[in-house]
Amino acid sequence: MIFKRLPTLLPAALLAGEAMGETQFVAEAVVSSMLIDRGEQIGGPTLEVALLAEKEAGAGVLYGGLYRLTPFGDDQAAFADEFDYTIGYGWQGAGYAADVSANWLTYPGEGDEASLELFGEVVLVELPLSPAIAGFYDAEFEDYGLEVTAGPEWGAGDWSGYAIGRAGFVEPGDGSETRSYAGVEIGAVRPVSETAEIGGYARYEVADQDSFADDIANGAIISAKDSGFAVGAFVAATF
């Protein structure tokens, strides 16, 4: 999966240890009841769509892609649309997989300023629960943060299940209070062909700030709470 808000951003071929001769394309679409990102709600009902191109380069995989976030429903006006451009590189070493990327974040139709976010992740693939650490830095607003995750995976017939525990913090560049958060996610994935899969997930997160909408009226959040719960479904295809 190529969304940062789902279990991993690392290129699919890299994690699977596959050899890629030609350029490979991965497309994904996710519909969720709430969009949670780093201990904060950034959408109510939301559609996310992404297209990623991957190609072997040196000892790893070079990739680039487009990502679109579109809130919908009665409360759509309370959240920003987002259109991102990504370029990155992933590779494997002895017992780990790593990824670095640069992401140009834009907000069409909104007053929010575009920014460059730098992202990195390391997954210890040979340890139990595949612990990982990821970090980001926004070069425009000087926000930064770290997140650690770990969790098991298992098989159940045609389905593969996973559970993830996560904890992290975000330090805003404007000097406002640091946001710390923790949460848990559980999900399942099923192949429907040699090149496509479907799945779903449930995610709960709690923060030390009121960063989740509690009441929305006239396109604005008028009260907030410190936790949120989301369910979602996704489809992905490789070609």
Side-chain angles (χ1 to χ4, degrees), residues 53-232:
E54 307 173 346
K55 186 172 180 58
E56 285 185 355
V61 175
L62 179 67
Y63 64 93
L66 305 173
Y67 166 82
R68 173 73 184 195
L69 179 164
T70 307
F72 62 88
D74 294 340
D75 299 327
Q76 175 182 3
F79 302 98
D81 287 30
E82 186 176 331
F83 197 106
D84 302 342
Y85 307 84
T86 294
I87 185 168
Y89 187 75
W91 70 97
Q92 281 192 328
Y96 74 91
D99 170 80
V100 292
S101 65
N103 307 278
W104 183 245
L105 313 181
T106 71
Y107 304 91
E110 307 289 339
D112 297 337
E113 187 176 351
S115 64
L116 175 65
E117 180 181 287
L118 307 177
F119 179 86
E121 181 181 26
V122 177
V123 183
L124 302 179
V125 294
E126 294 184 1
L127 291 184
L129 306 182
S130 299
I133 184 168
F136 81 94
Y137 174 73
D138 191 301
E140 175 68 27
F141 301 106
E142 299 184 341
D143 301 345
Y144 66 89
L146 289 174
E147 181 176 281
V148 293
T149 60
E153 298 181 359
W154 62 90
D158 292 333
W159 290 85
S160 298
Y162 70 87
I164 295 174
R166 55 169 52 90
F169 74 89
V170 174
E171 181 72 33
D174 62 6
S176 57
E177 185 179 356
T178 302
R179 180 175 71 252
S180 298
Y181 62 92
V184 63
E185 178 179 330
I186 187 168
V189 182
R190 183 187 189 279
V192 292
S193 72
E194 292 184 356
T195 58
E197 61 184 18
I198 60 172
Y201 70 95
R203 175 171 175 172
Y204 174 79
E205 213 146 295
V206 60
D208 62 354
Q209 297 179 14
D210 291 338
S211 51
F212 298 84
D214 188 34
D215 192 16
I216 298 174
N218 300 319
I221 299 172
I222 59 176
S223 65
K225 56 185 179 179
D226 65 359
S227 64
F229 174 76
V231 294

Side-chain angles (χ1 to χ4, degrees), residues 5 20 23-24 33 41 44 47 99 120 145 149 177 208 232-234:
R5 300 175 188 99
M20 297 167 48
T23 301
Q24 175 174 282
S33 62
Q41 180 182 352
L47 170 66
D99 170 80
T149 60
E177 185 179 356
D208 62 354
F234 56 88

